[in-house]
Amino acid sequence: MGERIAFGLFLVMAGLAQAAQEPGVPTGPSSYWKLDETAGTSAANVVAGSPVANYKTGAFPVPSVTVAPLSYNTDPGVTARSLQFNGSSQGLTLQDFAGGLNNYTVSVWIRRTGSTGTRQSILSFKETGGGLVLCLNEGGANFRPRIYSNIAGAWRSVEEAFTIPLDTWVHLAATFDGTNLRLYRDLGAPTSGVFAGTLGGGTATTGIGMRNSNDQHYFPGMIDDVRMYTRALPANEVAVLAAGVPAPTGVTATGAVNEILVSWTAP
């Protein structure tokens, strides 16, 4: 009986050890579009009081059951989906919102399914007169991820020397903390540049899957779980968005008088 009790206690303690190591999804997004809709004219914003994203008139993206490998806060009874953009006429548009951003994070899952000969805008936030642009294919042929930010009145950018493959889900995130502009792909170390200054805001629309002007730079592929934060997430929080929270490893328990000592390696 004593051995069974000790074993049971070990399981309980090990379970508690794992739970204690699990951070939550980064808190406080200013906007979050799940893109799970199957009908209607807009994509809901999970954050109360933040704007919905309206489908470009007459050019609706196709709901797809092919979804990002990691999606948080799935609503009960709602099938997770992504939106499939055709790369030539489809996108979402938002009226001017959020004011100027001094610090930010943008996070999104993409699955490129085609090619174009020009920039492919994933998120074009107030690109007219300032803001930021997360995109692919700035060079017209290499399909590399790039983040642009209008900082201290000038457009600055960093680009990763990696071609986003076809038909593969990739997590992209970009952060700006007032000095450092960083671009993350999946769980890799960020590509970064130092550009101190205030982010230019402007008053303009925002586009998802196309340029904010709603007339070019269309993205060919699936987009899922678009998030914006008004702070620069640290690398460990970006990693949670990209990979979830792995269980701790090396959980061990050592018996002692009236106690069990549990240790583990945090993820």
Side-chain angles (χ1 to χ4, degrees):
M1 180 66 70
E3 290 182 356
R4 287 198 293 271
I5 292 174
F7 183 64
L9 286 172
F10 165 65
L11 289 178
V12 171
M13 293 297 290
L16 290 175
Q18 292 188 36
Q21 290 301 302
E22 295 189 2
V25 179
T27 58
S30 57
S31 285
Y32 176 18
W33 300 276
K34 292 184 180 181
L35 308 186
D36 287 340
E37 287 78 12
T38 59
T41 60
S42 63
N45 196 320
V46 174
V47 181
S50 294
V52 300
N54 295 301
Y55 299 154
K56 182 179 176 183
T57 302
F60 304 128
V62 178
S64 173
V65 294
T66 302
V67 297
L70 186 67
S71 181
Y72 291 99
N73 300 326
T74 302
D75 296 323
V78 176
T79 300
R81 291 182 172 82
S82 63
L83 287 182
Q84 169 81 52
F85 297 80
N86 63 10
S88 61
S89 63
Q90 295 173 339
L92 305 178
T93 184
L94 298 102
Q95 295 303 308
D96 180 37
F97 76 104
L101 297 178
N102 293 320
N103 300 338
Y104 71 79
T105 298
V106 296
S107 167
V108 63
W109 286 92
I110 63 168
R111 183 182 175 99
R112 185 172 74 88
T113 59
S115 302
T116 65
T118 186
R119 178 193 299 173
Q120 299 172 352
S121 291
I122 301 163
L123 178 68
S124 172
F125 176 76
K126 300 189 179 187
E127 184 177 348
T128 305
L132 61 97
V133 183
L134 180 62
C135 61
L136 303 183
N137 200 36
E138 187 59 35
N142 57 28
F143 305 101
R144 296 174 176 174
R146 178 181 290 208
I147 181 65
Y148 278 104
S149 282
N150 191 296
I151 301 170
W155 283 102
R156 310 293 189 182
S157 68
V158 294
E159 180 180 272
E160 187 180 33
F162 175 86
T163 296
I164 299 297
L166 287 169
D167 300 317
T168 302
W169 281 108
V170 176
H171 181 261
L172 296 177
T175 68
F176 180 64
D177 62 8
T179 301
N180 302 288
L181 182 62
R182 297 185 174 97
L183 176 62
Y184 296 83
R185 174 179 55 86
D186 293 329
L187 293 176
T191 302
S192 60
V194 178
F195 308 109
T198 301
L199 193 71
T203 54
T205 56
T206 290
I208 296 175
M210 64 181 177
R211 193 179 189 275
N212 75 313
S213 54
N214 304 344
D215 59 359
Q216 59 184 309
H217 300 169
Y218 297 101
F219 176 78
M222 300 170 190
I223 298 179
D224 202 1
D225 274 16
V226 181
R227 296 169 178 262
M228 293 187 67
Y229 294 81
T230 55
R231 62 187 178 96
L233 298 184
N236 64 322
E237 290 190 274
V238 173
V240 170
L241 292 175
V245 185
T249 58
V251 179
T252 61
T254 303
V257 178
N258 297 324
E259 63 183 358
I260 298 176
L261 304 177
V262 181
S263 63
W264 62 90
T265 299

